[in-house]
Amino acid sequence: MYPVEACQEDIKNELRKLLTAYHFTGEIRLDIPPQGLGDFAFPCFALTPLLKKSPASIAQELAPKIPRTTWILKAEANGPYVNIFVDPATMTSSVIRIILEMKEKYGYLPKKKKKVIIEHTSANPNGPLHVGRARNPIIGDTLVRIFKAAGYQVESQFYLDDMGKQVAILTWGINNIQAKDIPIPETAKPDHQYVGFYQKAHERMKTDESVEASINELVKKSEYGDPVVLQMIHAAYNPVLQGIQTSLARINIRIDTYIPESMFVQDKSVEHVVHALQHTAYCHEEDNAFYLDMEPFHVHGKNTRFFFLRSDGTTLYATRDIAYHIWKARRADVLVDILGEDHRLESTQVSIALQLLKEKILPQVVFYAFVSLPGGKMSTRKGRVVYLDELIDECIERAYEEVKKRRAQDLSEKQMKTIAEVVGVGSLRYNIIKVQPEKDIVFKWEDALNFEGNAVPFIQYAHARASSILAKTGTQHPRFDATRLVHPSEINLVKQLTNLPCIIEDACNGCKPHLLANYLFETASAFNQFYRDCPVLAEQVASLRESRIALVAATKIVLCTALDLLGITAPEEM
RNA sequence: GGGCGUGUGGCCUAGCCUGGAUAAGGCACCGGCCUUCUAAGUCGGUAAUCGCGGGUUCGAAUCCCGCCACGUCCGCCA
């Protein structure tokens, strides 16, 4: 059990003993009071109906009865609250000890013996990833890391759309357009090479009906599971997909498994879905096509019919998605999907269908709003995009300028490049993950490349400062005496360190990766204050010096772990 | 037209699920701090009718209803 849990349990136990005497049986919830008013607070409002007294007088009555324990230093009544002050020596000694023992596993929760499949990115492989959807892999990969830390066995999956119109357009383009007829791409990456064919083919399709007919034929054949066509499509998108994988690798993302949509047509599982849906009470037929009436499930709008089988007997994207979810549910205990907000309705329809099919495991879905440009949204078709690769390059380039400005004298070119990479990639991931997924983001270069304040260099810098101190101490195993650490900046930092396990738990339970970003910022901030107030290397009293070294070592571990959960590297120097 | 999401100082964000103590940070702006562990840091200051209007409550940024603005969806597309 982590110190933070032990501490809260102790406080709740003591409160419970007191409150039982008043016949209070409700849940005991502890608040976090404002700065300076203690570590935990017990609000007394819930007791007023029981005791027929004002909450303030109840707090007055309760506070003196709370005993001193190893965890509880004192309790004070303050208005309607009983504010509890934790014994800093107990907290400090236990948390520093456990961090130094567990090292990079500090904060991790006990193994749960449950498997999670997290589906993310799942972009159409018709061109490079663009910034509009860049939140998807970053949110997804961060959740993969968080779920692992929370004790789950995790597999990440990319659902590969190999039967849609997008890949069909690409396939047609590659097979029918001359390379000389497309604009010369700026990079050699295959996704950038191929997107021109897609754009040109899309243009031709809009103006030439025979082109559209050929593309539709490709789509149709793929929907019937035609192996030759599927092979052709595969050949077309595969290099693009590899380009996408390269982009993801650049920002520390590796997806475990790629599941092609066609798999569920070829193995006939989608046919079973169709059959089963046709036998539900909500199924209707129109001109040989089948749909579910969504009205009874509180889906409103112009058209509440969810078509899952066309008149020609082929299935639709959502139908195959149902088969995919059933397949996933057989292989995991928990499913998480990361989807753009444009998929909200589709996702609801899939969930309803899954319930009709008596599926027990439904996906928890994280929807994100698109990143837009100041003038509006991005579009691969229209070529109005900022590609992820461009953004990565720009972030690294800008980071390099910053490093050079500060460290050109004392670092080698190679060192500066390495730091620029780590800072640039980290900035990108941090800036996206620190905002709740459902909030709109307007992409502005000046924000993406801003390296001050609540941005990743602030956190990495704190880590580098801690590393620098430790590198100069020479002691591998600092001996610490918690009673020496009494400065408010020391206590404050220790308190921050205690919270990591709770943050991991909350971030996992609520699928809220941004909590980690907030936590990191606060922890780095607490460390910077400590750094200002409490000299380590210059400290003359040996026991205090050693204790501070231990605190620095613990902080470094926490910063490194939390950064790693965001897929960000913690540099030793910068 | 309907569904869903979002709305917090000049700009951006946290807090909303689970109501409670002076609404917490960052950017920008103003003024301090480098003979001391990297100043990508730090301290202080100016700045908010928490979109608007009702309601519930001892108490609402938080819950409920209505309205407004923005985004998104409402294909036998994916």
Side-chain angles (χ1 to χ4, degrees):
Chain A
M1 188 187 293
Y2 284 113
V4 64
E5 300 166 284
C7 175
Q8 288 195 38
E9 198 153 290
D10 185 52
I11 294 168
K12 285 183 182 176
N13 276 340
E14 294 302 332
L15 281 167
R16 172 63 64 203
K17 281 186 215 162
L18 281 175
L19 297 178
T20 321
Y22 297 120
H23 305 100
F24 177 82
T25 50
E27 188 199 354
I28 297 177
R29 290 183 60 110
L30 295 175
D31 283 2
I32 308 292
Q35 268 295 317
L37 297 179
D39 300 293
F40 296 102
F42 177 69
C44 299
F45 304 98
L47 292 168
T48 48
L50 223 56
L51 301 187
K52 312 260 189 278
K53 286 186 202 171
S54 74
S57 58
I58 296 171
Q60 288 286 348
E61 191 177 324
L62 240 41
K65 293 185 181 166
I66 292 171
R68 201 192 150 145
T69 68
T70 44
W71 285 107
I72 302 171
L73 180 68
K74 59 174 177 174
E76 284 176 359
N78 189 320
Y81 297 91
V82 177
N83 290 333
I84 292 150
F85 294 73
V86 172
D87 188 324
T90 308
M91 186 56 92
T92 302
S93 65
S94 56
V95 80
I96 294 180
R97 190 184 327 114
I98 198 168
I99 294 171
L100 296 182
E101 268 172 28
M102 293 180 77
K103 299 195 177 66
E104 72 282 356
K105 294 292 175 207
Y106 169 71
Y108 279 47
L109 308 179
K111 290 266 180 268
K112 290 186 169 58
K113 295 194 176 115
K114 283 197 173 175
K115 178 164 175 182
V116 188
I117 292 176
I118 300 182
E119 180 204 332
H120 70 84
T121 309
S122 301
N124 276 319
N126 60 348
L129 288 175
H130 64 71
V131 171
R133 293 186 179 271
R135 289 175 112 170
N136 197 323
I138 294 173
I139 293 167
D141 182 64
T142 306
L143 284 174
V144 167
R145 292 162 185 266
I146 289 170
F147 270 86
K148 282 180 183 166
Y152 292 93
Q153 188 203 331
V154 185
E155 178 179 340
S156 54
Q157 292 190 352
F158 183 119
Y159 185 44
L160 188 52
D161 176 17
D162 61 346
M163 318 185 46
K165 196 147 189 173
Q166 314 292 325
V167 281
I169 295 169
L170 175 76
T171 305
W172 186 89
I174 285 168
N175 289 288
N176 295 282
I177 294 171
Q178 303 288 311
K180 65 175 170 54
D181 293 331
I182 63 162
I184 296 161
E186 286 172 26
T187 79
K189 272 182 89 233
D191 46 346
H192 292 265
Q193 296 277 333
Y194 277 45
V195 71
F197 290 99
Y198 170 81
Q199 285 162 338
K200 192 80 189 173
H202 191 272
E203 232 172 75
R204 295 272 297 276
M205 180 184 82
K206 287 289 166 200
T207 52
D208 186 339
E209 281 181 19
S210 70
V211 173
E212 176 148 35
S214 313
I215 289 170
N216 285 341
E217 200 185 327
L218 286 175
V219 175
K220 202 51 51 186
K221 284 182 171 168
S222 73
E223 279 165 2
Y224 282 112
D226 183 322
V228 176
V229 168
L230 283 173
Q231 181 49 43
M232 210 169 124
I233 290 172
H234 177 86
Y237 76 70
N238 204 42
V240 176
L241 185 61
Q242 285 183 9
I244 289 173
Q245 286 172 313
T246 307
S247 300
L248 292 174
R250 294 183 72 194
I251 53 173
N252 305 327
I253 297 174
R254 201 195 76 84
I255 296 173
D256 295 321
T257 323
Y258 289 76
I259 308 295
E261 201 179 321
S262 59
M263 189 171 115
F264 304 102
V265 173
Q266 292 189 313
D267 74 2
K268 314 273 185 208
S269 61
V270 73
E271 279 182 27
H272 293 116
V273 168
V274 167
H275 250 84
L277 288 177
Q278 281 171 328
H279 287 89
T280 62
Y282 305 92
C283 181
H284 302 273
E285 187 184 345
E286 184 181 271
D287 305 329
N288 288 325
F290 289 80
Y291 65 90
L292 296 176
D293 183 11
M294 293 278 122
E295 192 88 60
F297 303 98
H298 310 289
V299 172
H300 304 282
K302 264 191 234 162
N303 189 348
T304 58
R305 299 181 305 172
F306 165 39
F307 277 90
F308 61 90
L309 189 70
R310 294 194 188 98
S311 332
D312 65 4
T314 59
T315 56
L316 291 96
Y317 168 82
T319 323
R320 290 166 232 137
D321 204 14
I322 295 165
Y324 175 40
H325 276 86
I326 292 171
W327 181 86
K328 284 195 281 191
R330 300 241 166 90
R331 287 161 179 79
D333 304 288
V334 178
L335 301 180
V336 177
D337 294 350
I338 318 299
L339 298 173
E341 59 181 345
D342 55 339
H343 274 65
R344 280 192 130 104
L345 177 60
E346 189 264 350
S347 178
T348 307
Q349 290 167 335
V350 167
S351 270
I352 291 168
L354 288 169
Q355 288 174 68
L356 288 176
L357 300 179
K358 305 279 186 283
E359 185 52 63
K360 294 282 185 294
I361 303 175
L362 300 176
Q364 285 180 53
V365 190
V366 178
F367 294 103
Y368 62 91
F370 298 120
V371 180
S372 60
L373 293 172
K377 63 187 280 189
M378 295 186 199
S379 158
T380 309
R381 257 195 338 260
K382 296 174 190 150
R384 186 191 139 74
V385 285
V386 175
Y387 290 124
L388 179 59
D389 288 312
E390 295 175 67
L391 180 57
I392 298 170
D393 291 340
E394 201 69 37
C395 286
I396 293 173
E397 178 57 31
R398 174 64 182 270
Y400 176 73
E401 295 303 321
E402 295 288 329
V403 182
K404 203 170 168 184
K405 203 161 73 192
R406 297 174 162 88
R407 306 296 304 275
Q409 277 88 26
D410 44 355
L411 291 181
S412 71
E413 191 64 20
K414 194 178 166 211
Q415 285 172 309
M416 291 196 289
K417 288 271 190 226
T418 308
I419 292 167
E421 170 99 23
V422 162
V423 172
V425 169
S427 290
L428 174 50
R429 288 194 64 146
Y430 186 81
N431 279 329
I432 286 186
I433 210 68
K434 75 176 178 185
V435 181
Q436 287 180 26
E438 60 271 21
K439 290 249 193 185
D440 299 333
I441 297 184
V442 178
F443 177 82
K444 298 191 190 102
W445 283 106
E446 61 265 36
D447 292 345
L449 301 177
N450 176 29
F451 287 170
E452 274 169 4
N454 187 359
V456 91
F458 177 88
I459 297 155
Q460 290 174 320
Y461 186 60
H463 181 269
R465 278 177 151 181
S467 304
S468 168
I469 292 172
L470 295 174
K472 287 172 184 155
T473 59
T475 35
Q476 290 302 309
H477 303 286
R479 301 226 299 246
F480 72 97
D481 172 2
T483 60
R484 309 297 319 219
L485 299 172
V486 293
H487 191 284
S489 296
E490 291 168 333
I491 305 291
N492 189 43
L493 176 56
V494 166
K495 281 187 202 162
Q496 263 303 310
L497 302 183
T498 63
N499 287 331
L500 181 63
C502 306
I503 301 295
I504 290 175
E505 185 166 28
D506 291 349
C508 176
N509 288 343
C511 285
K512 290 176 176 170
H514 72 281
L515 297 181
L516 252 306
N518 293 345
Y519 173 76
L520 266 168
F521 180 68
E522 283 164 12
T523 306
S525 188
F527 178 74
N528 281 334
Q529 286 158 31
F530 161 82
Y531 184 91
R532 177 198 64 210
D533 296 331
C534 307
V536 179
L537 300 175
E539 177 52 52
Q540 296 301 308
V541 180
S543 60
L544 179 54
R545 188 180 127 103
E546 283 284 293
S547 301
R548 284 182 174 163
I549 290 171
L551 178 54
V552 173
T555 306
K556 178 177 146 116
I557 290 168
V558 167
L559 288 174
C560 187
T561 301
L563 278 170
D564 182 62
L565 290 173
L566 299 187
I568 298 170
T569 307
E572 293 293 311
E573 63 175 343
M574 60 186 281

